[in-house]
Amino acid sequence: MKNIYTILLLLSILSCTEKKINTIIEPLVNNKVTTKKRNEVFIKVNDTIDSFFTNLTLDEMQAMPDMLYLGKKENKSSITIPTDTTVYIIGGDPFISMFYKLEIEKGDSILINVENTRINSSKQVKYPVFTHLNSDKSWSETNFDYLLFKQNLNSEAIVIDEDKFQNNKFSIKQIHKNSNLLLDSLKAINSISDEFYRSTKLDQQLKYATSKVREARKQHLKLDIDSLDIKINSEELFERNEYVSFLKALVLYKYFQNDKRVSNTVQFDVVTKETKLFNQSTKEMLLSAYLKSIYFLEKSKFQNYLAKFHTINTSNKFKNKWHIIVQNQQENAKKLDINNRTIGILSNLVNDNQLTFEEILLKEKGKIVLVDFWASWCVPCRKEMPFLEDLKATFNETEFEIIEISIDKEYSAWVRASKLENLSTEENNYIIADWKKSKLYNNYNIKTIPRYLLFDKFGKIIDDNAPRPSDNELASLIKANL
């Protein structure tokens, strides 16, 4: 009886949501032409969405996800991202156990709608619903996280308190049960593929097992690991993030029962000596995963632990992987190395020109010049970018120019952000070396960003703290000086 109820509920959700989505995407789908997939992904929000934020991961070895803002308030409804790899959209709210992750292959086009989802009698959240415009993935596969979240709320596997998130209740057993019921129901109505069914069922089992291990450690309970029905040494599962999380949880449960926080270096050292739980292949895979975390969270110890890893590792796959990562890291660091570049020198992506600010300004003599100081991690800076594009479109390129100067310390972060903001092909998109020691920093007393400088046609300063591009006053100021 419960299975019949689940299928009826599911059909109700699917028919309602898909009808709404189809109304939005029909013109796009009908005009779709099958071509060779380009080295880019296209992301667009429904034009009724006021504001939507999510995280983007473009590179496995980026410390933090990139920020993506779309919608009317952001003055930007779509983005094309140059890439030859997979891009991930990741978001949610851990306080209400709401998570979503979408894998976007190169050449994919994604449309985002937002569903107002009620989580209790007085609150609702905006949950993103995705549609692949040129993929074989079904709507149900793309939005499995959304469907499961709805089912968890309906069955009270997740109960959100009206006032305090500390009082929220989550039943990991019921959530796991719901995931299996949902998968079985979707399979019964041919809404998902056999491969998606098998793969997602396995991931949900791994998530459930990981939750059981973490719960046992937190409550100091005895746990029969064999009862979790997960193979400890299974090379077939090595590529699954959920499997790595499961093994890491086992390490904490087995060796750190009484420790609240344990650094990755400490866990790394324990696993190197472990002889009972893991075989050599599993140990190498797990140590590589710890090494990645050390790279981000304990950077000063990374080289030491990389050397340790190489004395233990016998896998060419991991050896080559870390050789490439370290090589890329060294190349990126070299590009901003103060020993190789003069303090305050600016370089761009187009031709790697190395210029002083004075040389750049002189090159644009005869134009009004707006200088934008920004960084990949600066939210207000990134939200102003669409308004800068509007300024470019408003004024003739022979009389107005924008110079972008990033103060990023990580070259690769600047490159990724430049791609996301359509700046990677702009000649006047620069990154500055040793920012805080530069004349620019000191001459204009630039303590915070975003910061805008406006220069006249002769290179003289008009305003050393100009209004933001989203402020109409800036456009008026530019017009007054043309």
Side-chain angles (χ1 to χ4, degrees):
M1 189 69 182
K2 282 187 177 179
N3 282 339
I4 295 172
Y5 170 75
T6 303
I7 291 176
L8 289 173
L9 176 64
L10 184 59
L11 286 169
S12 173
I13 294 172
L14 286 174
S15 60
C16 176
T17 309
E18 287 192 313
K19 185 176 180 182
K20 190 183 295 185
I21 293 294
N22 287 338
T23 304
I24 299 166
I25 68 169
E26 190 175 357
L28 293 169
V29 175
N30 289 341
N31 293 327
K32 180 172 67 175
V33 178
T34 304
T35 56
K36 184 180 177 181
K37 289 199 170 186
R38 297 182 179 182
N39 287 345
E40 63 184 32
V41 300
F42 175 72
I43 302 171
K44 178 178 175 60
V45 293
N46 175 7
D47 60 14
T48 63
I49 292 175
D50 214 24
S51 182
F52 175 74
F53 164 77
T54 194
N55 294 305
L56 285 177
T57 299
L58 286 78
D59 177 3
E60 181 191 3
M61 296 307 295
Q62 65 184 86
M64 296 288 289
D66 283 298
M67 301 166 288
L68 176 63
Y69 289 89
L70 296 172
K72 288 182 178 179
K73 280 186 181 178
E74 317 306 335
N75 209 35
K76 188 177 186 179
S77 63
S78 66
I79 183 171
T80 300
I81 306 167
T83 182
D84 57 1
T85 60
T86 302
V87 174
Y88 294 92
I89 289 179
I90 303 169
D93 184 345
F95 293 124
I96 60 172
S97 198
M98 176 185 127
F99 303 99
Y100 59 85
K101 182 176 181 179
L102 182 66
E103 185 177 305
I104 314 173
E105 302 294 343
K106 70 173 185 179
D108 281 359
S109 296
I110 300 294
L111 181 71
I112 303 173
N113 195 34
V114 173
E115 289 290 319
N116 291 320
T117 305
R118 188 160 293 284
I119 59 174
N120 58 33
S121 61
S122 62
K123 298 175 186 174
Q124 62 180 20
V125 294
K126 294 183 179 297
Y127 203 114
V129 176
F130 306 101
T131 301
H132 272 93
L133 302 180
N134 56 344
S135 170
D136 294 333
K137 290 181 182 177
S138 71
W139 186 92
S140 298
E141 290 175 1
T142 303
N143 295 285
F144 179 79
D145 292 333
Y146 167 69
L147 294 173
L148 181 57
F149 183 65
K150 292 274 286 185
Q151 189 159 321
N152 285 334
L153 290 172
N154 289 333
S155 66
E156 297 187 343
I158 298 175
V159 179
I160 308 301
D161 187 80
E162 295 283 346
D163 301 311
K164 296 181 180 179
F165 69 82
Q166 295 96 325
N167 296 330
N168 294 347
K169 295 177 183 177
F170 309 99
S171 169
I172 59 173
K173 185 176 181 180
Q174 185 61 45
I175 290 171
H176 178 57
K177 184 179 178 181
N178 285 347
S179 70
N180 284 327
L181 283 171
L182 178 60
L183 284 166
D184 291 342
S185 301
L186 290 169
K187 186 74 174 65
I189 59 175
N190 296 317
S191 192
I192 56 175
S193 67
D194 291 344
E195 174 56 30
F196 181 86
Y197 177 81
R198 287 191 296 269
S199 179
T200 308
K201 203 140 196 171
L202 177 55
D203 275 345
Q204 293 300 316
Q205 177 64 26
L206 288 166
K207 283 182 182 180
Y208 179 59
T210 304
S211 296
K212 292 283 287 181
V213 173
R214 287 172 178 166
E215 184 180 53
R217 177 173 179 262
K218 185 178 180 181
Q219 297 182 17
H220 303 286
L221 302 174
K222 216 169 187 181
L223 180 68
D224 178 8
I225 295 174
D226 291 335
S227 69
L228 299 172
D229 200 27
I230 303 292
K231 291 180 182 178
I232 303 302
N233 297 288
S234 174
E235 292 194 30
E236 293 177 359
L237 302 178
F238 280 6
E239 297 300 321
R240 292 184 178 271
N241 292 330
E242 298 298 344
Y243 186 59
V244 177
S245 297
F246 169 70
L247 295 181
K248 283 185 173 183
L250 276 184
V251 171
L252 290 170
Y253 168 77
K254 189 170 175 61
Y255 297 104
F256 303 100
Q257 276 277 358
N258 300 314
D259 302 291
K260 285 189 176 180
R261 289 182 182 147
V262 187
S263 69
N264 286 283
T265 49
V266 170
Q267 293 178 67
F268 182 105
D269 288 336
V270 164
V271 171
T272 59
K273 300 170 186 174
E274 212 284 329
T275 57
K276 296 178 181 178
L277 204 57
F278 308 124
N279 64 22
Q280 179 65 18
S281 295
T282 305
K283 188 181 287 190
E284 289 170 357
M285 181 274 292
L286 197 49
L287 289 175
S288 180
Y290 282 123
L291 192 60
K292 180 179 174 180
S293 297
I294 293 166
Y295 176 89
F296 292 129
L297 302 173
E298 301 175 74
K299 198 94 172 188
S300 62
K301 299 179 181 180
F302 173 72
Q303 288 298 334
N304 182 30
Y305 276 83
L306 178 64
K308 284 186 180 184
F309 178 72
H310 284 317
T311 63
I312 299 164
N313 176 57
T314 60
S315 165
N316 284 330
K317 175 186 173 183
F318 292 127
K319 180 181 177 182
N320 293 336
K321 173 184 175 178
W322 284 105
H323 173 74
I324 292 169
I325 289 171
V326 170
Q327 190 176 45
N328 289 341
Q329 180 197 33
Q330 289 172 344
E331 287 177 3
N332 286 333
K334 189 177 179 181
K335 287 174 181 176
L336 288 178
D337 191 337
I338 58 172
N339 295 319
N340 294 327
R341 298 205 170 184
T342 308
I343 291 172
I345 206 72
L346 293 105
S347 55
N348 63 17
L349 277 175
V350 176
N351 47 34
D352 200 33
N353 278 348
Q354 298 179 38
L355 303 168
T356 65
F357 178 68
E358 289 74 21
E359 287 171 331
I360 294 168
L361 205 57
L362 184 62
K363 187 163 62 79
E364 303 302 335
K365 192 173 181 180
K367 302 178 185 178
I368 301 294
V369 174
L370 179 69
V371 183
D372 168 28
F373 294 96
W374 69 290
S376 63
W377 44 261
C378 172
V379 174
C381 303
R382 302 284 292 272
K383 293 183 85 169
E384 289 293 326
M385 290 295 181
F387 297 98
L388 281 166
E389 287 185 22
D390 281 355
L391 281 178
K392 286 180 186 177
T394 301
F395 297 101
N396 192 300
E397 61 182 12
T398 61
E399 57 186 12
F400 175 70
E401 187 62 46
I402 297 174
I403 296 171
E404 305 282 0
I405 300 178
S406 167
I407 67 169
D408 273 294
K409 292 182 180 178
E410 287 194 19
Y411 190 87
S412 56
W414 169 60
V415 172
R416 285 194 305 271
S418 294
K419 288 181 180 179
L420 287 172
E421 302 301 346
N422 295 321
L423 297 175
S424 57
T425 58
E426 295 286 335
E427 193 170 337
N428 275 331
N429 173 39
Y430 298 91
I431 189 167
I432 188 167
D434 210 2
W435 163 239
K436 288 195 175 180
K437 291 183 181 178
S438 69
K439 287 195 296 182
L440 261 179
Y441 178 83
N442 292 300
N443 288 352
Y444 295 101
N445 194 31
I446 301 171
K447 305 296 183 185
T448 59
I449 56 174
R451 178 76 177 273
Y452 304 94
L453 308 181
L454 191 64
F455 292 86
D456 69 13
K457 296 177 182 180
F458 305 101
K460 293 182 179 179
I461 193 77
I462 297 171
D463 193 334
D464 66 357
N465 192 9
R468 293 189 180 188
S470 56
D471 187 338
N472 292 332
E473 188 182 339
L474 179 58
S476 300
L477 191 58
I478 295 167
K479 284 178 186 175
N481 285 276
L482 285 176

